[in-house]
Amino acid sequence: NKSNYYYKVKLEDNSVGWIFGDFIKFINKKPDSWEFLLKKAEITILNIQRFPFKPVSYTISTDNSKKFILARGTFYFSDGGDSFHFIWKIVDNDIKLIHTTGDYTEIIFNENYIIEYWPENYVRTFDLSNDNGLNILEQYLAGKYSSYSTMKMISEFFPASEMTDSGLPQNTKTKIDFNDSDSKFVVNFLSPENEKLKILQYEIKDGIIIPVN
C-alpha cells in the first residue's frame, strides 16, 4: 500500500531502475501457472494506450491448445478509440505479443501460420514462425505502425479483385464462409437483394491461398 513511494525494480531483461508505486501491479499467482500468464496479458492490455488515459474495454480468451492468448477490445492509440485484436503466443512458459489486427477479423491457428479472415472483405495468411513480435507494443505506442498487421504475410485474397476481373457490378456484395477443419473457404458474390451471382472456392496449402476447381 506504499503507492506514494519509489521502488527499485529489476525487469525480465535484467535492466534495473526506479518506478513509482502507483505503476506497480502485483500478480498473486505462481509464475509458471496459466493464471499468471493470463493476468500478465491483462495487465499489458490495460497499458496499451496513449495519453491522456482512457479506460480500455476488452475481452480476453484462449485457444483450445492453450498456446495462444487472444484479446479483443478498444485500445487508445490516438485521441479516438480503435478496435484491435491482440494475439500472444506462449513461449518458454511466458507470453510474447506476436500479432495485432482489426477487432472484426477471425483468426485460425495452423502449425506454421496464422489464417486471418474478414467475413466480408478478404483472407490473409501470416508466417507464425517469423518472429515479428519484438517490441510491437512499444512501436504501436510510438505511432510507428500504419497498419494493423505486424507479422510477415505469406498470401492474401481480396474478393474485390475477383469481382472486377469477372465483370460483376460495383454494388456486388461478398461473403466468405470459412471451414477451419480443412482450411478451405467459399466466396459468395451476392446482388444487393442477396441473390447469388457467383461462387468460388479456395484452399490454403502451406500458407498459400489457391483456387479449387
Side-chain angles (χ1 to χ4, degrees):
N1 295 324
K2 302 289 185 180
S3 60
N4 292 326
Y5 288 77
Y6 278 88
Y7 291 85
K8 189 175 185 180
V9 297
K10 183 177 181 181
L11 303 183
E12 292 175 329
D13 62 1
N14 290 322
S15 59
V16 177
W18 292 84
I19 189 170
F20 195 59
D22 274 343
F23 296 102
I24 297 176
K25 303 292 182 182
F26 292 94
I27 305 177
N28 189 23
K29 306 291 181 183
K30 293 183 178 180
D32 59 349
S33 68
W34 184 245
E35 292 79 8
F36 177 87
L37 298 178
L38 286 173
K39 192 65 179 178
K40 187 176 178 182
E42 182 179 4
I43 289 175
T44 303
I45 291 171
L46 292 175
N47 287 282
I48 299 178
Q49 56 203 309
R50 290 192 181 121
F51 291 107
F53 175 81
K54 293 182 180 180
V56 176
S57 173
Y58 66 92
T59 59
I60 192 167
S61 62
T62 63
D63 78 327
N64 293 333
S65 67
K66 291 189 175 182
K67 292 181 180 178
F68 298 93
I69 296 176
L70 315 175
R72 293 178 183 268
T74 301
F75 306 94
Y76 292 92
F77 298 111
S78 61
D79 291 338
D82 299 313
S83 294
F84 279 81
H85 192 162
F86 280 73
I87 304 168
W88 284 269
K89 184 180 180 181
I90 309 303
V91 180
D92 297 330
N93 203 39
D94 200 0
I95 59 172
K96 189 174 187 66
L97 185 60
I98 61 169
H99 190 65
T100 63
T101 184
D103 183 37
Y104 301 104
T105 186
E106 297 297 332
I107 299 291
I108 298 171
F109 295 99
N110 193 283
E111 184 177 353
N112 299 313
Y113 56 88
I114 286 176
I115 303 171
E116 173 191 309
Y117 81 97
W118 297 61
E120 297 180 357
N121 294 305
Y122 52 79
V123 178
R124 302 189 294 185
T125 60
F126 294 87
D127 185 1
L128 189 55
S129 64
N130 184 278
D131 182 14
N132 283 6
L134 186 64
N135 294 327
I136 285 179
L137 179 57
E138 289 84 350
Q139 293 192 50
Y140 254 122
L141 293 176
K144 294 182 179 179
Y145 276 114
S146 59
S147 63
Y148 298 150
S149 303
T150 47
M151 295 187 74
K152 180 181 178 181
M153 188 170 64
I154 303 174
S155 185
E156 63 183 345
F157 169 80
F158 287 91
S161 300
E162 179 63 35
M163 184 180 72
T164 301
D165 294 342
S166 301
L168 293 171
Q170 289 295 320
N171 60 357
T172 299
K173 299 187 295 183
T174 58
K175 183 177 183 298
I176 300 174
D177 295 321
F178 208 101
N179 186 349
D180 58 353
S181 63
D182 57 8
S183 294
K184 292 183 178 179
F185 63 92
V186 173
V187 184
N188 300 282
F189 295 88
L190 309 170
S191 71
E193 294 75 31
N194 291 323
E195 297 176 348
K196 288 189 178 181
L197 304 176
K198 188 173 184 178
I199 299 176
L200 296 176
Q201 185 172 345
Y202 294 81
E203 62 182 338
I204 300 175
K205 290 186 176 181
D206 298 324
I208 306 297
I209 302 171
I210 57 177
V212 176
N213 222 358

